[in-house]
Amino acid sequence: MTTGFEHPERVQFDAEGYATDTRAVRAGQERTPVGEHSDPIYPTSSFVFSSAREAAARFGGEEEGMIYSRFTNPTVHAFERRIAAMEGGERAVATSSGMAAILSLGLSLMQQGDHVVCSRSVFGSTVSLFDKYLSRAGILTTYVDPTDLADWERAIRPETKMLFLETPSNPLGEMSDIAALAEVAHKHDALLVVDNCFLTPALQKPLELGADIVMHSATKYIDGQGRCVGGVVVGREAEMEQVFGFIRTGGTCMSPFNAWVFLKGLETLPLRMRAHNDAASQLAEWLEQQPGIERVYYTGLKSHPQHELACRQQKGFGGVLSFEVKGDKAAAWRFIDATRMVSITGNLGDVKTTITHPATTTHGRMTPEDRARAGIRDNLIRFSVGLEDIEDLKKDLQLGLAAL
Ligand SMILES: *Cc1c(COP(=O)(O)O)cnc(C)c1O
């Protein structure tokens, strides 16, 4: 973009050599000649050309520039550049939701006959997408224990194109060794895709550990205040160009308004993640000492079976913890209903703390047998720790404990 500035290097930021926190605040912005300090928003569906020749050159890809907001929009591109800089990827492609990100990856990078090996502890809709819809395109999925490297290896076939995982998983915090799985994937010419929704680049950088692609539901921590639905994929230019091609045609694109909200979210993401992490760490340890609690799941606890891997792979443990209360489903419901301040909702990654009963909500569509296999017990409660005062959060949890 022409800047019109006497010293463009002074107002256009080059992220090279800068830390993640700095990139969160500054990377990706291309200032217009008016010199706006904050990011502008471009709510326009199309862009105009100065001549028929120019229009033809843009559509033909011979000249760079904006065309139509399904696939080119400056606000969306600014968000893509910023998250790519934070994850350490060559390029990002924004999508209308986290699910649209996975759908777009699946349909752009695979074809009929290809195979996916997927952690069995991924977001419920991810499983539905693979089993109900990608299967219709002849792309089949095998599920494995995310923590067991040998299980991943055994599931790989000659036609395996993608390994897909979330670490730490939701809601039990099971972990996969990203570096080890990247090696496995590459030995078999497959791509390792990591859903980095729970830790974000503030606390975990899968690409640096060898993963090929990172994806996000931007709806969660990237927004951080529960306003917009969106997603993004980040990786190398070659694969991202394929994903971009799908978005351009398939229309799974992000709106400029949402991109602007996510851009603003990224600016405070590292700060928020540290605060979520600190509060969740304190509460996890506190909960572990409460008599009404059977078990706490949080990768930051020394009692977590993969705590050592968590310390090696992550820069923090995140803001989501889960715990089993002593008792059954009724006890878990009594606990939830006795709290006063925290929000009873399925969402997470918000400044407002949320409390969820996975067995009857987020994991309610699974059969009881599948749920048991996944370790989602009826007395399990998920807690996404927000930014309220920690003593107030303890007070609310104490109300729950007293109701057991
Ligand atoms: C919410 C979520 C998704 C899906 O994202 P949407 O934005 O709701 O479509 C995918 N993966 C994880 C880990 C999630 O938490």
Side-chain angles (χ1 to χ4, degrees):
M1 181 181 284
T2 50
T3 64
F5 293 110
E6 187 182 2
H7 300 290
E9 69 287 353
R10 175 74 228 181
V11 289
Q12 307 294 7
F13 180 74
D14 179 0
E16 187 66 32
Y18 284 94
T20 307
D21 284 25
T22 307
R23 292 177 182 207
V25 174
R26 293 190 173 273
Q29 186 174 7
E30 284 182 0
R31 289 208 168 88
T32 71
V34 301
E36 67 282 358
H37 192 199
S38 178
D39 304 84
I41 173 169
Y42 293 86
T44 176
S45 51
S46 71
F47 298 83
V48 297
F49 314 105
S50 64
S51 70
R53 186 212 60 79
E54 192 173 277
R58 292 251 187 110
F59 272 83
E62 294 126 41
E63 274 179 25
E64 275 187 39
M66 301 299 140
I67 300 172
Y68 185 64
S69 285
R70 181 170 1 93
F71 53 100
T72 54
N73 180 278
T75 317
V76 176
H77 290 336
F79 167 70
E80 290 169 336
R81 287 191 298 266
R82 185 167 298 171
I83 184 75
M86 290 175 72
E87 288 283 6
E90 289 174 12
R91 181 174 170 189
V93 180
T95 57
S96 51
S97 67
M99 292 319 302
I102 305 174
L103 174 70
S104 305
L105 279 174
L107 290 180
S108 64
L109 298 176
M110 291 188 285
Q111 58 185 15
Q112 187 175 16
D114 286 347
H115 176 244
V116 181
V117 181
C118 184
S119 157
R120 64 164 156 61
S121 303
V122 291
F123 192 63
S125 298
T126 305
V127 175
S128 303
L129 177 65
F130 285 147
D131 287 352
K132 278 207 214 144
Y133 298 103
L134 285 182
S135 62
R136 293 189 196 185
I139 299 161
L140 298 183
T141 304
T142 305
Y143 296 92
V144 295
D145 177 346
T147 66
D148 181 358
L149 211 56
D151 207 20
W152 286 91
E153 286 240 52
R154 266 195 306 275
I156 291 176
R157 307 178 191 164
E159 61 273 24
T160 302
K161 283 280 151 61
M162 189 179 280
L163 274 57
F164 189 99
L165 62 90
E166 277 167 38
T167 181
S169 73
N170 170 24
L172 296 179
E174 293 169 284
M175 293 188 56
S176 300
D177 186 330
I178 296 173
L181 278 170
E183 237 175 79
V184 171
H186 299 155
K187 197 165 71 190
H188 296 278
D189 281 329
L191 297 167
L192 177 63
V193 180
V194 177
D195 182 336
N196 202 24
C197 183
F198 268 57
L199 290 183
T200 82
L203 300 181
Q204 173 169 273
K205 300 240 185 112
L207 299 178
E208 283 180 3
L209 296 164
D212 302 283
I213 294 168
V214 163
M215 61 126 311
H216 282 280
S217 165
T219 318
K220 313 293 165 53
Y221 286 112
I222 290 179
D223 177 313
Q225 296 180 55
R227 296 160 291 192
C228 294
V229 174
V232 67
V233 295
V234 190
R236 285 181 296 265
E237 176 61 35
E239 281 92 18
M240 291 307 107
E241 181 60 24
Q242 278 175 269
V243 178
F244 172 73
F246 176 79
I247 293 204
R248 175 174 184 155
T249 306
T252 46
C253 53
M254 179 179 282
S255 87
F257 176 77
N258 287 8
W260 184 81
V261 172
F262 295 136
L263 259 172
K264 295 282 119 190
L266 287 179
E267 292 179 0
T268 56
L269 181 68
L271 185 68
R272 282 186 285 112
M273 291 313 291
R274 284 194 287 272
H276 287 302
N277 177 75
D278 290 350
S281 298
Q282 286 182 51
L283 287 177
E285 281 176 22
W286 180 81
L287 277 166
E288 236 180 7
Q289 289 156 13
Q290 304 308 311
I293 302 296
E294 200 158 278
R295 182 166 171 192
V296 182
Y297 298 86
Y298 186 65
T299 62
L301 289 172
K302 290 199 179 64
S303 59
H304 189 281
Q306 296 165 293
H307 180 62
E308 206 185 309
L309 174 62
C311 293
R312 194 154 27 93
Q313 176 163 286
Q314 306 172 179
K315 281 206 292 272
F317 310 105
V320 180
L321 59 91
S322 295
F323 52 92
E324 283 161 358
V325 296
K326 287 198 177 129
D328 51 8
K329 181 185 115 177
W333 279 22
R334 276 202 308 278
F335 186 107
I336 292 170
D337 289 343
T339 59
R340 277 292 159 265
M341 175 182 70
V342 300
S343 315
I344 305 174
T345 171
N347 199 26
L348 59 90
D350 198 296
V351 293
K352 296 185 177 81
T353 297
T354 64
I355 192 165
T356 311
H357 184 243
T360 51
T361 60
T362 54
H363 294 66
R365 281 187 298 173
M366 291 167 90
T367 65
E369 296 75 41
D370 282 349
R371 228 175 7 250
R373 215 170 301 130
I376 313 291
R377 295 170 61 188
D378 284 350
N379 59 348
L380 183 78
I381 292 172
R382 187 185 71 191
F383 205 62
S384 169
V385 182
L387 301 184
E388 301 96 338
D389 183 89
I390 186 130
E391 296 307 323
D392 287 335
L393 286 170
K394 279 186 195 163
K395 257 188 258 166
D396 230 33
L397 288 168
Q398 252 150 357
L399 291 172
L401 287 163
L404 289 172

